[in-house]
Amino acid sequence: MLETLSRNDYTRPEGAPSFHVKLLGIPEIHINHEPARVRGEAARRVLAFLLLASPHVVPNHRLIEAAWEDGEPESATEQIRKIISRLRRDLPNGRNLISTEAGGYRIPSGAVHIDLKTWRDSNERARILMRGGHRHAAMETLSDGLALWRGPALEGLNGHPFAAETVALHEERHAALEAWCRLASKELGPSEVIARLRREITRYPLQERLWEMLIRELSSSGRSLEALEECVRLSKALADSLGVSPSSRIRSLQLGLERSVRGAPPMPQPGPHRAVPKESHVPRTKRKAPGAVPPWIIDLLRGQEPNPAYVSDRSWNILHGNQALFRWFPWLAKENANLMRWVLTDPAARSCLHDWEDHAAVFLGMLERTLRAMPEDASLRSLKAELTRHPQRPRIGKGEIVEVDSREGHHFTFDLPHVTPEPVNVVSHVLRSHGNDGLDVVILTPPRNTLPGGSFG
């Protein structure tokens, strides 16, 4: 995202003020152990984004995105220059702290002590220790890193581009926690892991991956009844807060536990610490037909991580998705999932998609347009008939529809509390492959990302 420089790191002059920054929670900046005073919300957001990106250059347009959540002023570039000047005046040693670079600004490495850098350094040390077989030291290093988190990362910094960074940081945290659990289960015993996971769920009650780790740990420890109770608790939490059901992966776990408790042979499940191929951790949708998606398109979807991506047919059946898609939208992991049906009929869509009525009007227009081109498509005819009886149908677009060929370049805002506490803004990119007529590849990226449009292959 940001240009990496080969310039030497900053060396703090003797007697210069010390800056300590915390971003893994509510952002805090301390200068010589006293809270820093930053005037103005735009300046606070600009400084936070420069710190988040340190030591890389932040282009002016990215600072403009960070400064104004609800629309930039006409003089945005000039306003950014004024904000930087004010920060340099207000912060001790500010002129050396924020350097001007070609097309932007940066805070050099070493100018500040940032918990985010400490966090990432601890993760890298843990990976080195694990490769060397030092499991206990790796576990303690991961534990020290996880202790840096005081709450949701960048809490209170809403809107793009902070939301995209928040999602990435929480993905990092989940990966570190999973690694800690694998190590701690052998080094400390299951009870310590179970206690830690229960505390995590108290802090993040809608993150399904935490529940899955807890359920698996309880099951592998012979506490199947407790594991089943956690399945029920998760179902209630998701239903009460989001109006959705657990993913097919959790439902499969629950079915295996129920069989085990009744005395029947349990369903084969990957153990909590067995080496399972990465792709198997994600629920799959059933393909429309064998070989419907070429392997190179599947590789393309995988390469878009951490951005969600999927391939659908022209009737909006989800044929394949990458891991990020199903982390964001677990309800699309159901067999025979259909995007059009989900948007227009599923309560989960209305609860997580901002401005749902406006988007529904566009999707309904796409449905009408496709039915004119494919009048014999039984599934689309059935969906249209269902919509005439659906209780939400009179509210879609206030009775008006908008006809477009695709959602190329359209903006969406989602509430995904099971992934991140902040709303997520994305733009959809629709790619159509020469030689694979009938397949649409859709990639969701943060705004301002560019992809080759129209077609590929």
Side-chain angles (χ1 to χ4, degrees):
M1 177 187 72
L2 299 168
E3 176 189 0
T4 302
L5 299 184
S6 58
R7 176 175 296 195
N8 293 332
D9 287 346
Y10 169 94
T11 301
R12 186 164 65 92
E14 185 177 352
S18 63
F19 285 77
H20 289 265
V21 178
K22 297 180 180 180
L23 299 175
L24 302 177
I26 297 175
E28 296 179 4
I29 302 173
H30 288 80
I31 302 173
N32 292 336
H33 308 292
E34 295 291 334
R37 292 175 174 83
V38 179
R39 294 181 293 163
E41 178 63 16
R44 186 178 78 93
R45 293 170 66 87
V46 165
L47 179 58
F49 199 70
L50 284 169
L51 290 165
L52 181 65
S54 175
H56 306 297
V57 172
V58 183
N60 283 322
H61 75 267
R62 295 288 283 165
L63 290 178
I64 290 171
E65 290 177 350
W68 291 284
E69 180 183 356
D70 299 322
E72 64 195 60
E74 292 184 4
S75 58
T77 301
E78 179 61 26
Q79 292 295 321
I80 289 295
R81 283 198 289 267
K82 291 180 178 178
I83 287 172
I84 295 295
S85 295
R86 189 165 69 246
L87 287 171
R88 285 169 168 166
R89 289 196 306 269
D90 291 350
L91 296 173
N93 201 36
R95 187 164 298 278
N96 293 323
L97 177 69
I98 304 174
S99 65
T100 301
E101 309 290 344
Y105 303 90
R106 77 171 185 133
I107 292 178
S109 176
V112 293
H113 180 276
I114 305 178
D115 62 353
L116 177 57
K117 184 179 187 304
T118 305
W119 154 253
R120 287 176 169 158
D121 287 347
S122 73
N123 287 343
E124 181 58 30
R125 285 197 302 274
R127 282 190 287 269
I128 293 171
L129 288 167
M130 282 189 282
R131 286 197 297 268
H134 306 292
R135 300 174 62 87
H136 192 84
M139 179 199 69
E140 291 183 334
T141 301
L142 286 170
S143 183
D144 291 342
L146 289 165
L148 295 170
W149 287 72
R150 298 166 293 114
L154 308 176
E155 187 172 3
L157 290 172
N158 301 320
H160 181 75
F162 293 106
E165 297 291 343
T166 300
V167 171
L169 285 170
H170 281 268
E171 286 293 320
E172 291 178 19
R173 187 178 190 279
H174 275 301
L177 180 61
E178 288 172 353
W180 182 88
C181 288
R182 289 193 297 271
L183 294 168
S185 186
K186 294 182 179 180
E187 297 294 320
L188 303 177
S191 295
E192 291 288 338
V193 176
I194 290 167
R196 174 64 179 265
L197 290 171
R198 290 194 192 280
R199 290 193 296 270
E200 292 286 338
I201 287 171
T202 299
R203 296 173 67 187
Y204 307 103
L206 298 178
Q207 295 193 0
E208 192 174 281
R209 287 165 69 183
L210 295 175
W211 291 84
E212 181 178 350
M213 284 190 282
L214 174 60
I215 291 165
R216 289 192 182 280
E217 194 67 41
L218 287 167
S219 176
S220 65
S221 302
R223 298 160 66 173
S224 297
L225 282 175
E226 287 183 63
L228 269 176
E229 289 175 0
E230 298 302 335
C231 290
V232 174
R233 287 182 60 213
L234 171 59
S235 296
K236 186 176 186 305
L238 292 178
D240 290 348
S241 299
L242 302 177
V244 300
S245 301
S247 68
S248 58
R249 188 172 180 82
I250 295 293
R251 294 197 301 274
S252 177
L253 267 176
Q254 184 171 354
L255 179 59
L257 287 166
E258 289 170 349
R259 292 186 177 189
S260 178
V261 168
R262 289 198 305 265
M267 293 178 63
Q269 298 288 337
H273 312 306
R274 287 168 54 188
V276 181
K278 188 175 182 181
E279 286 293 299
S280 70
H281 287 284
V282 180
R284 288 276 189 247
T285 56
K286 185 179 288 185
R287 293 184 180 181
K288 189 175 182 181
V293 182
W296 68 269
I297 292 183
I298 295 175
D299 289 340
L300 173 68
L301 300 183
R302 187 181 300 116
Q304 302 309 311
E305 296 278 357
N307 296 322
Y310 65 90
V311 59
S312 68
D313 60 21
R314 295 295 164 83
S315 299
W316 294 281
N317 295 306
I318 305 292
L319 305 183
H320 197 92
N322 65 5
Q323 296 190 53
L325 178 77
F326 299 126
R327 284 197 296 269
W328 285 33
F329 311 108
W331 36 88
L332 290 181
K334 298 176 182 177
E335 291 189 355
N336 304 316
N338 182 280
L339 179 66
M340 183 68 69
R341 185 178 298 276
W342 175 72
V343 169
L344 296 180
T345 68
D346 194 322
R350 292 190 288 278
S351 67
C352 80
L353 178 57
H354 288 212
D355 302 317
W356 173 81
E357 291 188 19
D358 293 337
H359 288 291
V362 177
F363 276 101
L364 190 60
M366 293 169 64
L367 175 62
E368 297 283 1
R369 182 187 180 102
T370 304
L371 271 172
R372 288 199 298 272
M374 303 165 52
E376 302 305 317
D377 191 305
S379 64
L380 295 184
R381 292 204 316 270
S382 172
L383 176 57
K384 183 177 179 180
E386 180 182 340
L387 287 173
T388 62
R389 303 185 299 271
H390 198 274
Q392 294 293 335
R393 175 61 181 86
R395 299 199 307 115
I396 293 178
K398 300 178 181 178
E400 300 177 358
I401 63 176
V402 180
E403 289 200 10
V404 299
D405 180 56
S406 74
R407 300 308 306 268
E408 166 64 30
H410 287 210
H411 288 246
F412 299 84
T413 300
F414 296 103
D415 286 324
L416 304 168
H418 56 293
V419 176
T420 173
E422 303 294 345
V424 179
N425 300 303
V426 295
V427 176
S428 62
H429 307 273
V430 182
L431 310 176
R432 289 175 176 170
S433 168
H434 297 306
N436 291 280
D437 292 341
L439 297 185
D440 286 349
V441 174
V442 180
I443 303 167
L444 303 180
T445 73
R448 290 186 183 268
N449 279 23
T450 58
L451 290 171
S455 61
F456 64 103

